[in-house]
Amino acid sequence: MNNSKIWLSSPHMGGTELNYVKEAFDTNWVAPLGPNVNNFEEDLVRFTGAGYVSALSSGTAAIHLALIMLGVKAGDEVICSSFTFSATANPIVYQGAIPVFIDSERDTWNMDPALLEEAIKDCLAKGIRPKAILIVHLYGMPAKMKELMEIAARYEIPVIEDAAEALGSTYNGKALGTFGLMSVLSFNGNKIITTSGGGALLSDNKEYIDRSRFLATQARDEAPHYQHSQIGYNYRMSNICAGIGRGQMEVLSERVEQRRKNHQYYQSQFAGIPSISFLEEGAGFFSNRWLTCILVDGSAGVTREDIRIALEAENIETRPLWKPMHKQPVFEQYPYYGKGVSEELFEKGLCLPSGSNLSPEELQRVADAINRVFAK
Ligand SMILES: *Cc1c(COP(=O)(O)O)cnc(C)c1O
């Protein structure tokens, strides 16, 4: 039996990336910045419909700069999805601010609007105005943006959208990454497209994007010498990485299509197992299906861990859903509003191999392995 490794989500090059990287070498634009960076930013503007984009060294850097530009300082409170990857919340603590974690609702697994409002009211009652709301679209599924944006607008709190996992997803036909005052993308190695490592900040407000470029290149004042009147960062994307990004943008739509096909395939393969369920798309919700996730309710005598361990033995990588931030040792002292939804998702959920480069045979190996666990 073929036992070669099947990864959760591995880089998938389109073929033209090397042309852009070679062009950078041929013209000696190996130094940071250069034409690939500008063109990659334009590609992202075109694809998402965002007003302006700056290409940065990571999604984490983009979140950090967004918080800095909103004036988040030590002791401030920032409201944040609890069910996410730690990179969403870390930059809040870089600033010495306090993350206030919000649980998920069951329809999208993202921030629960009712709990968001409860948290805002409590902050205001204490005389604290939250500096920002960090909303995540986990696994590519749009959060309930209508409800969340309405609440944010009512209390006049700026929204930062963490669309790191959601490039190519839309909500009511509008690209994720275009709802926040500022929004964030990631091009890390396991994301839907990759630049080997990188991120971007998006906004309709040009001043934020100009300022993010300034801060990301060490906040250098205009002068012939190196003059600085504020603290800067080394957060810009390199011209080499952006070359990879340009090639990847040519195949992004295909990547979304393929990942959605993976999801459909798994759904059809497990249709006969009532104890496995999937995250469904409501009307107006279009997910890039970055990762296909299943929930295993245990009623068939099979747990999430049974499946994970059985697949591991067959050299197939799977991963439990994100462990909520309010349950992480490093964050557990911070405020949390919730009803245990994300904890239950963490308990029962498993991410299946979801790369756009998986062959039909590999997908079948995964499905067969899971079906065998239930047949035992
Ligand atoms: C990947 C990811 C990030 C961080 O992006 P990097 O480019 O790896 O820094 C932030 N938030 C979420 C939800 C992510 O999945």
Side-chain angles (χ1 to χ4, degrees), residues 58-60 63 84-85 87-88 136 138 162 164-165 186 188 191 198 322:
S58 69
T60 312
I63 295 170
T84 186
F85 175 45
T88 308
V136 183
L138 217 56
D162 179 349
E165 301 180 1
S186 167
N188 204 347
K191 299 285 155 70
W322 298 119

